[in-house]
Amino acid sequence: MGRLLALFLLPMLLFGASIKPFKWNNGESFLTFLERKNLPLSLYYNMDKDDQKLTEDIPFSANCQMLIGDKNAIKQILIPVNDELQFQIYYSTKKRYEIKVIPIVSEENTETLYIPIKTIPYNDILAATGSKNLASIFVKMFKGKVNFKNGFKEGEPIVMVYTQKYRLGKPFSMPQVHGAMVQVSGKQYTAYLNADGRFYDDKGAQFEKFLFKYPIRTPRITSGFSKSRYHPILHRYRAHLGVDFGARPGTPILATGDGHVCFAGRSSGYGNTIKIRHTNGLISLYAHQKSFRSGIHVGISVKQGEVIGYVGSSGLSSGPHLHFGMYSGSTAIDPMSVMKRKTEGFSGKERKIFMAIRDKIDRKFTEALRLKPIKKHIFNFENTYYVNTDTFKPQLF
Ligand SMILES: [Zn+2]
């Protein structure tokens, strides 16, 4: 206990400053946040359009940090946008507040997990790793293909190959699972993460069938999804948390899937925006609209392919286009990874790429089954986001 207390006090004693963690208020705008903290609103107005838009994608309840100095003055605030980028507001040597988008520095490690089944996979993975994320990804990977309720013989193996990010020695963010294997009554089932971000079995059959369709009749993608990209000319970090479709003003925008409208209104960055909540829990977003189809309002249900509005250039848009986003909770995911595939199975080059991925993961499965490396991870996944403390100088840990 004493040591723990000393660890908390250490930063304060050393730098005369304290760190206050806080959560991003659901639905709060960046301007309201600055106002509430008595920070200059020019921080927002002087940002470029892309960064301003990015503020609208700060996930609900994101774990932020504030560094407070003498007389309660704010020295720094870190607000994560996703697991790769964060806003940094800081009191600079020029004696004024500045804002930047900076990367969240992390290490990643690819690990293989081997578990002999005792109860059911979800419980066993959770017991071995402490990670609900890993356990639920596993279940999702084999949903509908393997019956986990019965049929296991005790000691039959589970193997998972995944990459975990670490921040200051602690795991953070969702693990990326590259492949998983489970044996049920002597029969082995495998699943592999392909380059398109979806899971397939060893024959290349898709596990989860996404039925979403393009939101534009003749889609022309002008900008893809990225969580973090360094712009070599601007020397800045950027993110584009959706897909842009180039189209003439007035082009009809179509609902990507069945669902009900959960937002229809204006936001400063995304302009006239509609959000649709779908039956599988994902939320699609349609931004920069010229106008909505008449009768569109929060609560109404829409069918896939139904016209919901028209392409425009409202909000912080550089020209007429549709910005199309997809969200799991309030976290942006790549919309293309959940669009319906044109064809089932692979051929040609696609097939070669998938087979190479499959064979590589298969070798890891074989090795794990031979070596049976039982290891205990203690994960703490309570916080989806940890933020940098690097920029606090000197380093805390
Ligand atoms: Zn866009």
Side-chain angles (χ1 to χ4, degrees):
M1 187 63 204
R3 237 179 73 194
L4 202 66
L5 196 67
L7 206 67
F8 281 123
L9 287 173
L10 190 68
M12 287 182 248
L13 294 173
L14 283 179
F15 322 122
S18 66
I19 294 165
K20 248 170 116 173
F22 68 95
K23 291 205 187 275
W24 189 254
N25 281 349
N26 291 1
E28 181 167 38
S29 81
F30 207 76
L31 278 170
T32 329
F33 170 76
L34 293 174
E35 224 166 10
R36 199 158 54 75
K37 295 282 176 207
N38 273 321
L39 290 164
L41 301 186
S42 57
L43 283 176
Y44 177 82
Y45 292 118
N46 293 341
M47 274 195 271
D48 72 14
K49 279 183 187 179
D50 285 344
D51 288 348
Q52 285 179 341
K53 270 198 270 186
L54 203 55
T55 64
E56 295 188 19
D57 278 309
I58 298 168
F60 297 168
S61 305
N63 288 300
C64 311
Q65 274 183 5
M66 187 151 60
L67 181 71
I68 298 182
D70 297 339
K71 293 176 193 154
N72 268 336
I74 294 170
K75 289 181 135 183
Q76 177 180 255
I77 296 178
L78 294 169
I79 304 159
V81 178
N82 51 39
D83 57 7
E84 295 188 15
L85 282 186
Q86 60 190 340
F87 284 102
Q88 181 196 30
I89 299 169
Y90 60 103
Y91 196 69
S92 76
T93 46
K94 291 173 193 149
K95 303 227 177 291
R96 60 166 193 236
Y97 284 105
E98 302 199 27
I99 188 163
K100 257 198 243 165
V101 176
I102 59 167
I104 297 176
V105 179
S106 66
E107 289 164 39
E108 46 178 48
N109 199 18
T110 298
E111 299 164 3
T112 305
L113 185 73
Y114 166 89
I115 302 174
I117 295 176
K118 287 197 195 87
T119 58
I120 53 166
Y122 184 91
N123 292 351
D124 289 342
I125 296 168
L126 187 59
T129 64
S131 170
K132 282 184 188 166
N133 288 339
L134 213 50
S136 49
I137 293 171
F138 180 88
V139 172
K140 197 176 135 194
M141 286 172 80
F142 292 104
K143 205 174 158 188
K145 295 257 174 179
V146 184
N147 183 2
F148 290 132
K149 295 266 156 54
N150 48 47
F152 288 112
K153 293 192 191 113
E154 200 182 315
E156 286 194 298
I158 287 174
V159 180
M160 284 181 94
V161 180
Y162 61 92
T163 298
Q164 178 63 56
K165 287 189 175 192
Y166 289 89
R167 172 89 206 109
L168 298 169
K170 288 179 190 163
F172 90 111
S173 190
M174 290 288 275
Q176 187 180 43
V177 178
H178 306 288
M181 191 232 96
V182 59
Q183 187 177 312
V184 187
S185 302
K187 187 168 163 36
Q188 290 184 354
Y189 299 88
T190 47
Y192 310 85
L193 179 71
N194 190 35
D196 60 5
R198 302 160 203 246
F199 291 117
Y200 295 85
D201 71 7
D202 58 332
K203 306 275 185 316
Q206 210 178 322
F207 269 61
E208 205 176 350
K209 303 256 190 300
F210 289 106
L211 301 171
F212 290 128
K213 287 188 177 161
Y214 286 103
I216 292 273
R217 274 191 198 108
T218 42
R220 181 171 59 87
I221 293 172
T222 52
S223 177
F225 177 92
S226 84
K227 280 209 276 188
S228 167
R229 179 161 49 193
Y230 187 70
H231 197 294
I233 297 159
L234 295 173
H235 299 290
R236 303 170 67 143
Y237 286 89
R238 319 244 70 158
H240 186 237
L241 302 179
V243 172
D244 288 348
F245 293 96
R248 288 170 173 280
T251 306
I253 298 168
L254 319 173
T256 187
D258 295 355
H260 70 266
V261 174
C262 60
F263 180 86
R266 230 188 132 76
S267 88
S268 55
Y270 283 139
N272 296 325
T273 303
I274 290 174
K275 288 187 196 175
I276 299 173
R277 184 183 291 276
H278 302 282
T279 36
N280 62 2
L282 296 180
I283 293 170
S284 55
L285 172 146
Y286 314 75
H288 306 311
Q289 297 186 43
K290 186 176 170 199
S291 57
F292 302 151
R293 196 206 71 205
S294 66
I296 289 286
H297 58 85
V298 171
I300 72 157
S301 52
V302 286
K303 288 266 165 236
Q304 182 174 60
E306 191 176 323
V307 175
I308 53 168
Y310 306 94
V311 169
S313 191
S314 60
L316 301 170
S317 168
S318 46
H321 74 282
L322 169 68
H323 172 96
F324 175 58
M326 190 64 77
Y327 294 79
S328 168
S330 58
T331 303
I333 61 166
D334 184 356
M336 300 313 287
S337 70
V338 292
M339 289 291 113
K340 184 179 166 62
R341 273 180 62 94
K342 284 191 211 86
T343 50
E344 254 303 307
F346 299 118
S347 58
K349 198 181 157 196
E350 257 192 344
R351 184 174 169 75
K352 267 193 184 147
I353 293 170
F354 171 72
M355 306 260 277
I357 291 170
R358 184 195 69 182
D359 294 349
K360 189 178 152 199
I361 298 297
D362 273 346
R363 285 194 291 276
K364 298 219 178 204
F365 290 157
T366 311
E367 192 187 71
L369 291 175
R370 187 168 57 86
L371 299 173
K372 300 184 171 34
I374 299 178
K375 50 179 175 176
K376 281 258 178 196
H377 301 265
I378 304 299
F379 284 171
N380 173 10
F381 276 104
E382 244 174 65
N383 295 326
T384 317
Y385 299 101
Y386 279 81
V387 290
N388 261 353
T389 46
D390 285 354
T391 38
F392 298 163
K393 285 187 169 98
Q395 281 240 317
L396 288 182
F397 300 105

